[in-house]
Amino acid sequence: MLQHTESALVSALGEIDARAAVTFLGADRIEVLRFRDPDAPLVRYATLGMSASPMTDPTAAVADPLRGPRAELLLTVHAGHPATDRVLRPLAVLAAAPQVEGLVVRPDACLDLGEPLWPGAPFSAVLVAESGGLVPDLPLPGPCDPVRFFPLLPMTPAETAWQRARGPEALRAAWLAHGTDLRDPDRSAVPLSG
């Protein structure tokens, strides 16, 4: 199945520029793939391996090996910032969270690493966006749920706290109102008020 997932990523994002694998105790291997956009100065990172098993609610009595949401994570940043390549392990940590912590990743979820996404990054958390835009959902044979490819929107600590208090919709509205470039690896927090 991961072969189909990788093919879906390549079809949507182009050829893989680099890849790295990370293995955590008690979790399957997670790869992070890097893609360079030939038409724009962007670099995209995608996890591969998170979707191998469905995410299971930790309160469920029995984990269904087939049914349940499946996902991979996507992060897009402007190219040219060498430190962003150090995001590979943090992305793998987020992708392993469903197996390690029983987390079910959904749109509007806040995933907080508690440390910078890469050295010197002003972000330590991400907001999960809706799937289907950059990489279409990948249907799987029934009864499996499709693989959804969730874009991650980096948040500063102030934005993370504000989002928790006001909700993700309010943060997205603030980003939109200020024309925030969410792909800028050096951006500062959006002005927050109210």
Side-chain angles (χ1 to χ4, degrees):
M1 186 197 62
L2 288 181
Q3 196 170 20
H4 296 300
T5 305
E6 182 174 330
S7 295
L9 287 164
V10 169
S11 177
L13 304 177
E15 290 305 310
I16 298 167
D17 180 60
R19 67 193 314 147
V22 181
T23 305
F24 300 98
L25 188 63
D28 294 332
R29 171 180 144 133
I30 302 288
E31 286 191 89
V32 180
L33 314 178
R34 184 179 70 192
F35 301 85
R36 294 199 184 274
D37 191 326
D39 302 318
L42 298 173
V43 64
R44 303 185 198 281
Y45 302 94
T47 64
L48 180 65
M50 180 179 173
S51 62
S53 302
M55 294 180 279
T56 305
D57 187 324
T59 62
V62 178
D64 189 320
L66 297 176
R67 293 178 179 84
R70 295 174 189 260
E72 298 291 353
L73 307 176
L74 302 167
L75 177 69
T76 302
V77 295
H78 290 295
H81 194 302
T84 58
D85 273 348
R86 303 277 295 279
V87 77
L88 303 179
R89 184 169 179 77
L91 276 181
V93 167
L94 295 177
Q99 291 181 61
V100 176
E101 301 171 26
L103 179 71
V104 178
V105 177
R106 296 184 174 94
D108 290 343
C110 171
L111 306 179
D112 196 338
L113 283 162
E115 61 185 42
L117 282 175
W118 57 82
F123 321 107
S124 57
V126 293
L127 183 66
V128 180
E130 286 286 349
S131 68
L134 191 58
V135 182
D137 294 350
L138 175 64
L140 298 176
C144 296
D145 289 20
V147 177
R148 300 177 73 193
F149 299 89
F150 291 126
L152 301 179
L153 309 176
M155 296 186 291
T156 67
E159 290 169 341
T160 303
W162 203 73
Q163 180 271 148
R164 285 186 175 134
R166 299 300 179 97
E169 191 58 45
L171 179 58
R172 282 193 297 270
W175 281 337
L176 188 61
H178 290 89
T180 306
D181 183 356
L182 297 173
R183 299 173 299 187
D184 180 355
D186 294 314
R187 76 171 178 86
S188 54
V190 69
L192 302 169
S193 61

Short mmCIF file of all heavy atoms in Angstrom, two decimals, residues 69-132:
data_model
loop_
_atom_site.label_atom_id
_atom_site.label_comp_id
_atom_site.label_asym_id
_atom_site.label_seq_id
_atom_site.Cartn_x
_atom_site.Cartn_y
_atom_site.Cartn_z
N PRO A 69 -9.32 6.15 9.82
CA PRO A 69 -8.67 7.16 8.98
C PRO A 69 -7.19 6.88 8.79
O PRO A 69 -6.50 6.41 9.70
CB PRO A 69 -8.90 8.46 9.76
CG PRO A 69 -9.18 8.03 11.16
CD PRO A 69 -9.80 6.68 11.09
N ARG A 70 -6.71 7.17 7.59
CA ARG A 70 -5.30 7.03 7.25
C ARG A 70 -4.82 8.37 6.70
O ARG A 70 -5.55 9.05 6.00
CB ARG A 70 -5.08 5.95 6.19
CG ARG A 70 -5.44 4.56 6.65
CD ARG A 70 -5.33 3.56 5.50
NE ARG A 70 -5.86 2.27 5.87
CZ ARG A 70 -5.12 1.24 6.25
NH1 ARG A 70 -3.80 1.35 6.29
NH2 ARG A 70 -5.69 0.10 6.58
N ALA A 71 -3.58 8.72 7.01
CA ALA A 71 -3.09 10.03 6.58
C ALA A 71 -1.58 10.03 6.42
O ALA A 71 -0.88 9.19 6.98
CB ALA A 71 -3.50 11.10 7.60
N GLU A 72 -1.12 11.02 5.66
CA GLU A 72 0.28 11.42 5.59
C GLU A 72 0.31 12.93 5.76
O GLU A 72 -0.72 13.60 5.59
CB GLU A 72 0.93 11.01 4.26
CG GLU A 72 0.97 9.51 3.99
CD GLU A 72 1.92 8.71 4.89
OE1 GLU A 72 2.68 9.33 5.67
OE2 GLU A 72 1.91 7.48 4.79
N LEU A 73 1.48 13.47 6.11
CA LEU A 73 1.62 14.89 6.42
C LEU A 73 2.48 15.58 5.37
O LEU A 73 3.44 15.01 4.87
CB LEU A 73 2.25 15.07 7.80
CG LEU A 73 1.55 14.33 8.95
CD1 LEU A 73 2.34 14.52 10.24
CD2 LEU A 73 0.11 14.79 9.11
N LEU A 74 2.12 16.84 5.05
CA LEU A 74 2.84 17.63 4.06
C LEU A 74 3.23 18.97 4.66
O LEU A 74 2.43 19.61 5.34
CB LEU A 74 1.95 17.91 2.84
CG LEU A 74 1.39 16.71 2.08
CD1 LEU A 74 0.30 17.16 1.13
CD2 LEU A 74 2.50 16.00 1.34
N LEU A 75 4.44 19.41 4.39
CA LEU A 75 4.90 20.73 4.83
C LEU A 75 5.56 21.40 3.64
O LEU A 75 6.43 20.81 3.00
CB LEU A 75 5.90 20.61 5.99
CG LEU A 75 6.51 21.92 6.47
CD1 LEU A 75 5.46 22.79 7.17
CD2 LEU A 75 7.69 21.66 7.39
N THR A 76 5.16 22.64 3.34
CA THR A 76 5.73 23.41 2.23
C THR A 76 6.37 24.68 2.77
O THR A 76 5.73 25.41 3.54
CB THR A 76 4.64 23.78 1.21
OG1 THR A 76 4.03 22.59 0.72
CG2 THR A 76 5.24 24.56 0.04
N VAL A 77 7.61 24.93 2.38
CA VAL A 77 8.31 26.16 2.78
C VAL A 77 9.06 26.71 1.57
O VAL A 77 9.33 25.98 0.61
CB VAL A 77 9.30 25.94 3.95
CG1 VAL A 77 8.57 25.55 5.23
CG2 VAL A 77 10.35 24.90 3.60
N HIS A 78 9.40 27.99 1.64
CA HIS A 78 10.23 28.58 0.60
C HIS A 78 11.60 27.93 0.62
O HIS A 78 12.16 27.67 1.69
CB HIS A 78 10.37 30.10 0.80
CG HIS A 78 9.11 30.84 0.53
ND1 HIS A 78 8.53 30.91 -0.72
CD2 HIS A 78 8.30 31.56 1.34
CE1 HIS A 78 7.43 31.64 -0.66
NE2 HIS A 78 7.25 32.03 0.59
N ALA A 79 12.15 27.68 -0.55
CA ALA A 79 13.47 27.09 -0.67
C ALA A 79 14.54 28.11 -0.30
O ALA A 79 14.27 29.31 -0.26
CB ALA A 79 13.69 26.58 -2.09
N GLY A 80 15.74 27.63 -0.02
CA GLY A 80 16.86 28.52 0.23
C GLY A 80 17.22 28.70 1.69
O GLY A 80 18.16 29.41 2.02
N HIS A 81 16.48 28.06 2.58
CA HIS A 81 16.77 28.15 4.01
C HIS A 81 17.34 26.80 4.43
O HIS A 81 16.59 25.85 4.63
CB HIS A 81 15.49 28.46 4.78
CG HIS A 81 15.70 28.91 6.19
ND1 HIS A 81 16.36 28.14 7.11
CD2 HIS A 81 15.34 30.05 6.83
CE1 HIS A 81 16.39 28.77 8.28
NE2 HIS A 81 15.78 29.93 8.12
N PRO A 82 18.67 26.66 4.53
CA PRO A 82 19.26 25.34 4.74
C PRO A 82 18.79 24.62 6.00
O PRO A 82 18.75 23.40 6.05
CB PRO A 82 20.76 25.61 4.79
CG PRO A 82 20.91 27.07 5.02
CD PRO A 82 19.68 27.73 4.50
N ALA A 83 18.41 25.34 7.02
CA ALA A 83 18.01 24.69 8.28
C ALA A 83 16.70 23.93 8.15
O ALA A 83 16.44 23.03 8.95
CB ALA A 83 17.90 25.73 9.40
N THR A 84 15.86 24.25 7.15
CA THR A 84 14.57 23.57 7.06
C THR A 84 14.71 22.08 6.78
O THR A 84 13.82 21.31 7.11
CB THR A 84 13.64 24.21 5.99
OG1 THR A 84 14.30 24.18 4.72
CG2 THR A 84 13.28 25.62 6.37
N ASP A 85 15.84 21.65 6.21
CA ASP A 85 16.03 20.22 5.99
C ASP A 85 16.15 19.45 7.30
O ASP A 85 16.04 18.22 7.31
CB ASP A 85 17.26 19.96 5.13
CG ASP A 85 16.95 20.00 3.64
OD1 ASP A 85 15.75 20.00 3.28
OD2 ASP A 85 17.89 20.04 2.84
N ARG A 86 16.33 20.16 8.40
CA ARG A 86 16.40 19.51 9.71
C ARG A 86 15.00 19.23 10.26
O ARG A 86 14.85 18.76 11.38
CB ARG A 86 17.18 20.39 10.68
CG ARG A 86 18.59 20.74 10.22
CD ARG A 86 19.64 19.69 10.52
NE ARG A 86 19.86 19.49 11.93
CZ ARG A 86 20.62 20.26 12.69
NH1 ARG A 86 21.24 21.30 12.17
NH2 ARG A 86 20.75 19.99 13.96
N VAL A 87 13.95 19.49 9.44
CA VAL A 87 12.58 19.23 9.85
C VAL A 87 12.23 17.75 9.70
O VAL A 87 11.17 17.31 10.17
CB VAL A 87 11.58 20.10 9.04
CG1 VAL A 87 11.38 19.54 7.62
CG2 VAL A 87 10.25 20.23 9.74
N LEU A 88 13.11 16.97 9.12
CA LEU A 88 12.79 15.58 8.82
C LEU A 88 12.42 14.78 10.07
O LEU A 88 11.39 14.10 10.10
CB LEU A 88 13.96 14.91 8.09
CG LEU A 88 14.41 15.59 6.80
CD1 LEU A 88 15.59 14.85 6.18
CD2 LEU A 88 13.27 15.70 5.81
N ARG A 89 13.24 14.85 11.11
CA ARG A 89 12.93 14.09 12.33
C ARG A 89 11.66 14.61 13.02
O ARG A 89 10.81 13.80 13.41
CB ARG A 89 14.13 14.08 13.29
CG ARG A 89 13.87 13.21 14.52
CD ARG A 89 15.13 12.98 15.34
NE ARG A 89 14.83 12.18 16.52
CZ ARG A 89 14.64 10.88 16.54
NH1 ARG A 89 14.71 10.19 15.43
NH2 ARG A 89 14.37 10.25 17.66
N PRO A 90 11.49 15.94 13.20
CA PRO A 90 10.24 16.41 13.80
C PRO A 90 9.00 15.98 13.02
O PRO A 90 7.98 15.61 13.62
CB PRO A 90 10.40 17.93 13.81
CG PRO A 90 11.88 18.13 13.93
CD PRO A 90 12.48 17.03 13.10
N LEU A 91 9.08 15.97 11.68
CA LEU A 91 7.92 15.50 10.90
C LEU A 91 7.67 14.02 11.15
O LEU A 91 6.51 13.59 11.26
CB LEU A 91 8.16 15.74 9.41
CG LEU A 91 7.83 17.11 8.86
CD1 LEU A 91 8.10 17.16 7.36
CD2 LEU A 91 6.40 17.52 9.15
N ALA A 92 8.74 13.25 11.24
CA ALA A 92 8.59 11.82 11.53
C ALA A 92 7.98 11.61 12.91
O ALA A 92 7.15 10.71 13.11
CB ALA A 92 9.93 11.11 11.41
N VAL A 93 8.36 12.44 13.87
CA VAL A 93 7.77 12.35 15.22
C VAL A 93 6.26 12.58 15.15
O VAL A 93 5.47 11.84 15.75
CB VAL A 93 8.43 13.38 16.17
CG1 VAL A 93 7.64 13.53 17.46
CG2 VAL A 93 9.87 12.99 16.48
N LEU A 94 5.85 13.61 14.40
CA LEU A 94 4.41 13.89 14.26
C LEU A 94 3.70 12.73 13.55
O LEU A 94 2.59 12.35 13.93
CB LEU A 94 4.20 15.19 13.49
CG LEU A 94 4.69 16.47 14.17
CD1 LEU A 94 4.48 17.67 13.27
CD2 LEU A 94 3.99 16.68 15.52
N ALA A 95 4.35 12.16 12.53
CA ALA A 95 3.73 11.06 11.79
C ALA A 95 3.64 9.78 12.61
O ALA A 95 2.75 8.95 12.38
CB ALA A 95 4.52 10.80 10.50
N ALA A 96 4.54 9.61 13.57
CA ALA A 96 4.51 8.42 14.42
C ALA A 96 3.54 8.56 15.59
O ALA A 96 3.21 7.57 16.24
CB ALA A 96 5.92 8.13 14.95
N ALA A 97 3.07 9.77 15.85
CA ALA A 97 2.19 10.01 17.01
C ALA A 97 0.95 9.11 17.04
O ALA A 97 0.55 8.66 18.12
CB ALA A 97 1.81 11.48 17.09
N PRO A 98 0.30 8.83 15.90
CA PRO A 98 -0.86 7.91 15.98
C PRO A 98 -0.49 6.53 16.52
O PRO A 98 -1.26 5.95 17.29
CB PRO A 98 -1.34 7.84 14.53
CG PRO A 98 -0.95 9.16 13.95
CD PRO A 98 0.40 9.45 14.58
N GLN A 99 0.68 6.02 16.15
CA GLN A 99 1.09 4.70 16.65
C GLN A 99 1.59 4.77 18.09
O GLN A 99 1.28 3.92 18.90
CB GLN A 99 2.24 4.15 15.79
CG GLN A 99 1.85 3.76 14.39
CD GLN A 99 3.05 3.21 13.65
OE1 GLN A 99 3.62 2.20 14.04
NE2 GLN A 99 3.44 3.89 12.58
N VAL A 100 2.37 5.81 18.39
CA VAL A 100 3.01 5.90 19.71
C VAL A 100 2.05 6.40 20.78
O VAL A 100 2.03 5.90 21.91
CB VAL A 100 4.25 6.81 19.62
CG1 VAL A 100 4.88 7.02 20.98
CG2 VAL A 100 5.27 6.23 18.65
N GLU A 101 1.24 7.41 20.43
CA GLU A 101 0.38 8.06 21.42
C GLU A 101 -1.11 7.79 21.23
O GLU A 101 -1.93 8.27 22.00
CB GLU A 101 0.60 9.58 21.38
CG GLU A 101 2.03 9.99 21.65
CD GLU A 101 2.25 11.46 21.39
OE1 GLU A 101 1.29 12.25 21.47
OE2 GLU A 101 3.40 11.84 21.09
N GLY A 102 -1.49 7.05 20.18
CA GLY A 102 -2.90 6.81 19.92
C GLY A 102 -3.63 8.06 19.45
O GLY A 102 -4.83 8.20 19.63
N LEU A 103 -2.91 8.96 18.82
CA LEU A 103 -3.49 10.22 18.34
C LEU A 103 -4.17 10.01 16.99
O LEU A 103 -3.64 9.31 16.13
CB LEU A 103 -2.37 11.25 18.20
CG LEU A 103 -2.73 12.64 17.69
CD1 LEU A 103 -3.53 13.39 18.74
CD2 LEU A 103 -1.47 13.41 17.36
N VAL A 104 -5.35 10.59 16.81
CA VAL A 104 -6.02 10.58 15.51
C VAL A 104 -5.89 11.98 14.94
O VAL A 104 -6.43 12.94 15.50
CB VAL A 104 -7.51 10.16 15.63
CG1 VAL A 104 -8.19 10.23 14.27
CG2 VAL A 104 -7.62 8.75 16.21
N VAL A 105 -5.13 12.12 13.85
CA VAL A 105 -4.88 13.43 13.24
C VAL A 105 -6.05 13.80 12.34
O VAL A 105 -6.43 13.01 11.46
CB VAL A 105 -3.55 13.42 12.45
CG1 VAL A 105 -3.32 14.75 11.77
CG2 VAL A 105 -2.40 13.08 13.38
N ARG A 106 -6.59 14.99 12.57
CA ARG A 106 -7.74 15.48 11.80
C ARG A 106 -7.51 16.94 11.43
O ARG A 106 -6.69 17.62 12.07
CB ARG A 106 -9.01 15.42 12.65
CG ARG A 106 -9.45 14.05 13.07
CD ARG A 106 -10.78 14.11 13.82
NE ARG A 106 -11.29 12.78 14.10
CZ ARG A 106 -11.08 12.12 15.23
NH1 ARG A 106 -10.38 12.67 16.19
NH2 ARG A 106 -11.58 10.92 15.40
N PRO A 107 -8.25 17.45 10.44
CA PRO A 107 -8.16 18.88 10.15
C PRO A 107 -8.49 19.71 11.39
O PRO A 107 -9.33 19.32 12.20
CB PRO A 107 -9.22 19.09 9.05
CG PRO A 107 -9.32 17.75 8.39
CD PRO A 107 -9.13 16.74 9.49
N ASP A 108 -7.79 20.82 11.55
CA ASP A 108 -7.92 21.76 12.67
C ASP A 108 -7.23 21.27 13.94
O ASP A 108 -7.26 21.95 14.96
CB ASP A 108 -9.37 22.12 12.99
CG ASP A 108 -9.99 22.99 11.92
OD1 ASP A 108 -9.24 23.58 11.11
OD2 ASP A 108 -11.23 23.08 11.88
N ALA A 109 -6.59 20.10 13.89
CA ALA A 109 -5.84 19.64 15.06
C ALA A 109 -4.57 20.47 15.20
O ALA A 109 -3.97 20.89 14.22
CB ALA A 109 -5.48 18.16 14.92
N CYS A 110 -4.17 20.70 16.44
CA CYS A 110 -2.92 21.38 16.74
C CYS A 110 -1.94 20.30 17.20
O CYS A 110 -2.20 19.59 18.16
CB CYS A 110 -3.13 22.41 17.85
SG CYS A 110 -1.60 23.12 18.48
N LEU A 111 -0.83 20.17 16.47
CA LEU A 111 0.21 19.22 16.83
C LEU A 111 1.40 20.02 17.34
O LEU A 111 2.01 20.78 16.59
CB LEU A 111 0.61 18.37 15.62
CG LEU A 111 -0.52 17.66 14.87
CD1 LEU A 111 0.03 16.89 13.68
CD2 LEU A 111 -1.29 16.73 15.80
N ASP A 112 1.72 19.85 18.61
CA ASP A 112 2.75 20.66 19.24
C ASP A 112 3.95 19.79 19.58
O ASP A 112 3.84 18.82 20.33
CB ASP A 112 2.19 21.31 20.51
CG ASP A 112 3.05 22.46 21.01
OD1 ASP A 112 4.25 22.50 20.67
OD2 ASP A 112 2.52 23.31 21.74
N LEU A 113 5.10 20.14 19.03
CA LEU A 113 6.33 19.40 19.30
C LEU A 113 6.98 19.81 20.61
O LEU A 113 7.75 19.06 21.19
CB LEU A 113 7.34 19.62 18.17
CG LEU A 113 7.08 18.85 16.89
CD1 LEU A 113 7.84 19.48 15.74
CD2 LEU A 113 7.49 17.40 17.06
N GLY A 114 6.73 21.04 21.05
CA GLY A 114 7.38 21.55 22.24
C GLY A 114 8.82 21.97 22.01
O GLY A 114 9.55 22.27 22.96
N GLU A 115 9.25 21.96 20.77
CA GLU A 115 10.60 22.41 20.38
C GLU A 115 10.51 22.92 18.95
O GLU A 115 9.54 22.62 18.24
CB GLU A 115 11.60 21.27 20.49
CG GLU A 115 11.30 20.10 19.59
CD GLU A 115 12.27 18.94 19.81
OE1 GLU A 115 12.59 18.63 20.96
OE2 GLU A 115 12.70 18.35 18.79
N PRO A 116 11.48 23.69 18.49
CA PRO A 116 11.40 24.25 17.13
C PRO A 116 11.30 23.16 16.06
O PRO A 116 11.87 22.07 16.20
CB PRO A 116 12.70 25.04 16.99
CG PRO A 116 13.11 25.36 18.39
CD PRO A 116 12.66 24.19 19.22
N LEU A 117 10.57 23.46 14.99
CA LEU A 117 10.43 22.51 13.89
C LEU A 117 11.78 22.21 13.23
O LEU A 117 11.99 21.12 12.70
CB LEU A 117 9.47 23.06 12.82
CG LEU A 117 7.98 22.97 13.13
CD1 LEU A 117 7.17 23.66 12.06
CD2 LEU A 117 7.56 21.52 13.27
N TRP A 118 12.67 23.17 13.24
CA TRP A 118 14.06 23.01 12.80
C TRP A 118 14.89 23.99 13.59
O TRP A 118 14.34 24.91 14.21
CB TRP A 118 14.20 23.22 11.28
CG TRP A 118 13.71 24.55 10.79
CD1 TRP A 118 14.38 25.74 10.82
CD2 TRP A 118 12.43 24.84 10.22
NE1 TRP A 118 13.60 26.74 10.30
CE2 TRP A 118 12.39 26.22 9.92
CE3 TRP A 118 11.29 24.06 9.93
CZ2 TRP A 118 11.30 26.84 9.36
CZ3 TRP A 118 10.20 24.68 9.36
CH2 TRP A 118 10.20 26.05 9.08
N PRO A 119 16.20 23.87 13.64
CA PRO A 119 17.00 24.78 14.45
C PRO A 119 16.77 26.24 14.09
O PRO A 119 16.84 26.62 12.91
CB PRO A 119 18.44 24.35 14.12
CG PRO A 119 18.32 22.91 13.73
CD PRO A 119 17.01 22.80 13.00
N GLY A 120 16.44 27.04 15.09
CA GLY A 120 16.19 28.46 14.88
C GLY A 120 14.81 28.79 14.36
O GLY A 120 14.49 29.97 14.16
N ALA A 121 13.97 27.79 14.14
CA ALA A 121 12.62 28.05 13.62
C ALA A 121 11.79 28.79 14.66
O ALA A 121 11.86 28.48 15.85
CB ALA A 121 11.93 26.74 13.25
N PRO A 122 10.94 29.76 14.21
CA PRO A 122 10.06 30.43 15.15
C PRO A 122 8.80 29.62 15.45
O PRO A 122 7.89 30.10 16.11
CB PRO A 122 9.72 31.74 14.42
CG PRO A 122 9.87 31.42 12.98
CD PRO A 122 10.92 30.35 12.87
N PHE A 123 8.73 28.39 14.96
CA PHE A 123 7.52 27.55 15.09
C PHE A 123 7.84 26.29 15.89
O PHE A 123 8.87 25.65 15.66
CB PHE A 123 7.01 27.12 13.72
CG PHE A 123 7.09 28.19 12.67
CD1 PHE A 123 8.03 28.12 11.66
CD2 PHE A 123 6.24 29.27 12.70
CE1 PHE A 123 8.12 29.10 10.69
CE2 PHE A 123 6.32 30.27 11.74
CZ PHE A 123 7.26 30.18 10.73
N SER A 124 6.92 25.92 16.77
CA SER A 124 7.07 24.66 17.50
C SER A 124 5.81 23.81 17.39
O SER A 124 5.74 22.73 17.97
CB SER A 124 7.39 24.93 18.97
OG SER A 124 6.37 25.73 19.56
N ALA A 125 4.83 24.30 16.65
CA ALA A 125 3.57 23.56 16.48
C ALA A 125 3.06 23.80 15.07
O ALA A 125 3.50 24.71 14.37
CB ALA A 125 2.53 24.02 17.50
N VAL A 126 2.12 22.95 14.66
CA VAL A 126 1.50 23.10 13.34
C VAL A 126 -0.01 22.94 13.48
O VAL A 126 -0.49 22.25 14.38
CB VAL A 126 2.03 22.06 12.33
CG1 VAL A 126 3.50 22.30 12.01
CG2 VAL A 126 1.82 20.64 12.84
N LEU A 127 -0.72 23.60 12.58
CA LEU A 127 -2.16 23.43 12.47
C LEU A 127 -2.40 22.53 11.27
O LEU A 127 -1.84 22.76 10.19
CB LEU A 127 -2.84 24.79 12.27
CG LEU A 127 -4.37 24.78 12.20
CD1 LEU A 127 -4.98 24.35 13.54
CD2 LEU A 127 -4.89 26.17 11.82
N VAL A 128 -3.22 21.51 11.43
CA VAL A 128 -3.51 20.57 10.35
C VAL A 128 -4.61 21.17 9.47
O VAL A 128 -5.69 21.53 9.96
CB VAL A 128 -3.95 19.20 10.90
CG1 VAL A 128 -4.27 18.24 9.77
CG2 VAL A 128 -2.88 18.62 11.82
N ALA A 129 -4.32 21.29 8.17
CA ALA A 129 -5.28 21.85 7.22
C ALA A 129 -6.06 20.71 6.54
O ALA A 129 -5.73 19.53 6.69
CB ALA A 129 -4.56 22.70 6.18
N GLU A 130 -7.09 21.08 5.79
CA GLU A 130 -7.90 20.10 5.06
C GLU A 130 -7.07 19.43 3.97
O GLU A 130 -6.22 20.05 3.35
CB GLU A 130 -9.12 20.78 4.41
CG GLU A 130 -10.21 21.16 5.39
CD GLU A 130 -11.02 19.98 5.88
OE1 GLU A 130 -10.90 18.87 5.33
OE2 GLU A 130 -11.79 20.17 6.85
N SER A 131 -7.37 18.18 3.70
CA SER A 131 -6.68 17.45 2.64
C SER A 131 -7.36 17.69 1.30
O SER A 131 -8.42 18.32 1.22
CB SER A 131 -6.71 15.95 2.96
OG SER A 131 -8.03 15.45 2.85
N GLY A 132 -6.73 17.18 0.25
CA GLY A 132 -7.35 17.19 -1.06
C GLY A 132 -6.89 18.29 -1.99
O GLY A 132 -7.16 18.23 -3.18
#
